Amino acid sequence: SLERAKALANSVREKASGDPAQIELCYLRCLSRRPTAEELREAREFLREFPESPGGKSLDPLVGFCLGLFNLSEMIVLD
């Protein structure tokens, strides 16, 4: 959910500074692993190019990244 993504992003910002460290901490917390070199490169590009909302009120790029991690198949538990 959006609220959980915001909470994760805020927590990550408190513990890590800079994109690489924040991305790695997000991966560790969500997937219990570090990102591959390719995942790190793509995540940095995602954060750098995250679009602004047309209405001027944009979503925080790190929150958007967290939402994306929440939707990875590695995060989804199927019974």
Side-chain angles (χ1 to χ4, degrees):
S1 76
L2 180 57
E3 293 307 312
R4 290 191 186 269
K6 287 178 181 178
L8 176 59
N10 289 335
S11 174
V12 164
R13 277 201 185 93
E14 289 175 4
K15 300 204 180 337
S17 62
D19 289 348
Q22 290 176 351
I23 292 165
E24 183 171 312
L25 188 52
C26 285
Y27 264 82
L28 286 169
R29 289 198 175 166
C30 290
L31 304 173
S32 299
R33 67 173 180 84
R34 288 182 167 72
T36 65
E38 179 68 13
E39 289 169 333
L40 181 60
R41 186 191 63 72
E42 289 177 358
R44 291 183 81 187
E45 184 177 327
F46 174 86
L47 292 175
R48 189 173 46 253
E49 296 179 5
F50 195 80
E52 285 198 26
S53 173
K57 187 176 181 183
S58 62
L59 183 65
D60 179 320
L62 189 58
V63 173
F65 177 69
C66 292
L67 284 169
L69 284 179
F70 291 169
N71 287 289
L72 289 175
S73 60
E74 288 179 69
M75 281 285 296
I76 299 171
V77 177
L78 301 175
D79 287 332

